[in-house]
Amino acid sequence: MISFMGAIFKYTGLVLSVLILSHIIQIKGVTISQYVDMGMNWVSGVNPSAPFERVTRGVTKQVEARNKMLERSLKDDAEVTKSDQKALNQVIETSANR
């Protein structure tokens, strides 16, 4: 019974040390656990960055549509001077770049 418990502790320690080292050791800047995760995604066919790309594309489209709408409304507005329009365009560009 004591040898069985010793074996359990030995293998548990081995597994924990492998898990810890897999998060620490890096090959070309990528940890071993990231390689395992990429391999599992490749096997399962799941692209983990797909939802983020979809959200980014959606936000980009909305920003572009809003910029076009603002440009159209500025062209229709006769009270806006050229200097005001340039300042507003700069504000829009800086907010879109953030």
Side-chain angles (χ1 to χ4, degrees):
M1 181 69 176
I2 296 195
S3 64
F4 177 70
M5 294 297 285
I8 288 177
F9 284 121
K10 182 173 65 173
Y11 288 119
T12 303
L14 178 67
V15 168
L16 287 175
S17 63
V18 167
L19 286 173
I20 291 170
L21 289 175
S22 71
H23 286 293
I24 295 172
I25 298 173
Q26 293 186 4
I27 301 171
K28 295 182 183 174
V30 179
T31 62
I32 294 171
S33 59
Q34 288 172 331
Y35 276 116
V36 171
D37 189 35
M38 289 185 295
M40 293 302 293
N41 289 334
W42 180 77
V43 169
S44 64
V46 175
N47 185 2
S49 64
F52 300 113
E53 292 172 1
R54 225 178 299 125
V55 168
T56 304
R57 271 191 250 119
V59 169
T60 304
K61 286 181 183 179
Q62 291 296 323
V63 168
E64 289 174 354
R66 181 150 174 86
N67 286 343
K68 287 180 184 178
M69 181 187 70
L70 286 173
E71 288 175 5
R72 272 189 254 123
S73 67
L74 285 176
K75 288 179 184 177
D76 296 339
D77 191 7
E79 296 176 1
V80 176
T81 63
K82 291 282 185 179
S83 62
D84 292 336
Q85 186 174 1
K86 287 180 183 179
L88 183 58
N89 286 338
Q90 288 176 348
V91 169
I92 292 170
E93 289 176 10
T94 55
S95 65
N97 290 335
R98 289 185 182 180

